[in-house]
Amino acid sequence: MEGKSTMPKRIVIIEDEADIVGLVTHYLEKEGYRVTAVRDGAKGLQQIKAEPPDLLILDIMLPEMDGLEICRRVRADSKTAVLPIIMLTAKGEETDRVVGLEMGADDYLTKPFSPKELVARVKALLRRAERPEAAPDRHVYGDLVLDSVRHEVRLKGREIVLTAKEFGLLEQLLKNRGRVLTRDVLLDRVWGYEADVISRTVDVHIRRLREKIPLLEDAIITVKSLGYKLKDAG
C-alpha cells in the first residue's frame, strides 16, 4: 500500500476490454489498492464526479464517450483538475498519445503492456501526488525570475511590472509548467470565481503576459478549447 495513510488508495479504471480489466484489477488489488472498474465512458465520468479517486486509468477507445473527452472534462473540473491520469492506447496510435498528453494525461502505456510496469507507473504517480515538492519562493524560467515573497518579476535583471492578477496567473503557469491548466482552474486559483469574471478574462490576461514578457510569447501554449500550459523546458 502506498503512503502513510491507513486507507488504501482508490483507483478507477475505465476500460471496455474485460481481459485487461481483470488483469489490471488483479495486479492492483494484490498491491493493496481499491479498484473500481467501469466499462462505459459516460458512466465512468459520472463515477469520477460522484467520488473522485486517487488515480484514473483511462482507455482512449470507449463506448458512449472516448477517453480524450473524459480527460478533457476531468481537467476542466477544479475538483479533479490534478487527478493523476494514466492513459491506455492501442499500438501505433501515436497521435492519440500526443493529444492525450496535451489534454493533461500524466502518463501513457501502449497495449499490450506489462501489468508490472503499469503498477510501477501507478506507484510513481501516487508518490508524486502524495508528496508534492514544497512550493519555492522563486521560480526561474530561462532569463525570467518570479519572486513570490517580494512579489516581483524580473527578466534579465530588469523588473517587469505586472498587475496582481497577471502575477498570480504567471505564478500558476510556472508552478505547473508542462501541465495543462484549464480556464476554470485558473479562474478558481487566481480570481477565486468572482461573480463578474468570465473565462474570456483569462485569455485577455494571457495576451497581456505575452506582450509584457516576449519570452512567454511562444512558451505559453494555447490548448484549443481547454486552456493553457507553459512549456516544460525553459
Side-chain angles (χ1 to χ4, degrees), residues 60-171:
I60 285 185
M61 300 299 293
L62 292 165
E64 302 304 322
M65 183 184 296
D66 67 38
L68 296 176
E69 178 62 15
I70 293 172
C71 189
R72 187 188 73 79
R73 295 195 187 191
V74 166
R75 287 291 178 247
D77 187 337
S78 59
K79 293 179 181 178
T80 55
V82 296
L83 172 67
I85 298 175
I86 297 177
M87 192 160 274
L88 305 180
T89 69
K91 188 175 182 180
E93 291 179 342
E94 183 178 356
T95 301
D96 284 341
R97 292 199 296 274
V98 172
V99 174
L101 293 172
E102 287 290 334
M103 285 293 187
D106 297 283
D107 203 352
Y108 70 86
L109 278 174
T110 302
K111 299 177 184 178
F113 55 84
S114 161
K116 291 183 179 179
E117 182 179 359
L118 176 62
V119 169
R121 305 248 186 136
V122 165
K123 288 181 177 180
L125 278 178
L126 287 174
R127 277 197 300 268
R128 189 191 311 169
E130 197 167 71
R131 296 196 298 270
E133 296 180 3
D137 294 332
R138 283 164 52 90
H139 299 275
V140 179
Y141 191 82
D143 294 325
L144 183 69
V145 179
L146 181 146
D147 192 315
S148 299
V149 175
R150 295 184 178 183
H151 206 271
E152 67 178 23
V153 175
R154 293 185 177 275
L155 181 63
K156 295 183 178 180
R158 179 175 64 87
E159 185 171 3
I160 305 295
V161 179
L162 299 179
T163 66
K165 299 304 185 189
E166 289 167 354
F167 185 93
L169 188 58
L170 178 59
E171 188 174 31

